[in-house]
Amino acid sequence: MGDLLSGRSVLVVEDEMLILMMIEDMLADLGCESVTAAATIDKALSLIEEHVFDAAMLDMNLNGDDSLKVADALAARGVPFVYCTGNNGHGMRVDPANSPVLRKPFSFEELTAILTRLLSR
């Protein structure tokens, strides 16, 4: 199981510290070499400009702000990403890139399955 993200760099855009720590632990268990975190849209956009990422996990709502700008920046660079959300589906936007959605709270198995699909595209 530890080979899925072996040697890969992942951007995690999440504003809830406990969720971020849980995701970091899961990614480490999957063999991820580097996890870079951002809690705001501006920080995420800055990191995307400065670094190359193999994949990203993107919270749809960052302190009340829609993360569409971050999704657009990732898509423009060809970085595959998964949305992570606690939303129940009402008011969720349609993603033109057809990125998968991982509903919070999620299990290790759910994260593994969605990242396997995402990285095999």
Side-chain angles (χ1 to χ4, degrees):
M1 195 70 77
D3 292 335
L4 178 62
L5 294 174
S6 181
R8 297 194 191 228
S9 176
V10 177
L11 173 64
V12 179
V13 183
E14 173 61 60
D15 59 349
E16 295 289 334
M17 185 57 74
L18 290 176
I19 294 172
L20 174 61
M21 291 186 324
M22 176 196 73
I23 291 171
E24 287 174 329
D25 286 346
M26 289 179 175
L27 292 174
D29 288 346
L30 289 170
C32 187
E33 180 177 298
S34 170
V35 176
T36 304
T40 66
I41 291 170
D42 288 340
K43 179 65 175 175
L45 292 173
S46 174
L47 288 168
I48 292 167
E49 285 290 323
E50 298 168 6
H51 302 282
V52 175
F53 296 102
D54 297 302
M57 297 180 67
L58 176 58
D59 190 351
M60 283 186 169
N61 181 342
L62 296 168
N63 292 319
D65 292 327
D66 186 296
S67 60
L68 185 57
K69 287 181 185 176
V70 179
D72 289 344
L74 290 166
R77 285 162 183 74
V79 178
F81 63 93
V82 57
Y83 285 112
C84 301
T85 185
N87 293 346
N88 61 5
H90 292 39
M92 284 177 52
R93 67 180 170 273
V94 175
D95 174 33
N98 243 353
S99 294
V101 176
L102 191 57
R103 304 243 183 241
K104 297 175 193 173
F106 52 84
S107 68
F108 180 79
E109 290 76 18
E110 290 169 317
L111 177 63
T112 302
I114 210 158
L115 286 177
T116 299
R117 281 196 343 252
L118 185 72
L119 294 170
S120 66
R121 286 184 177 181

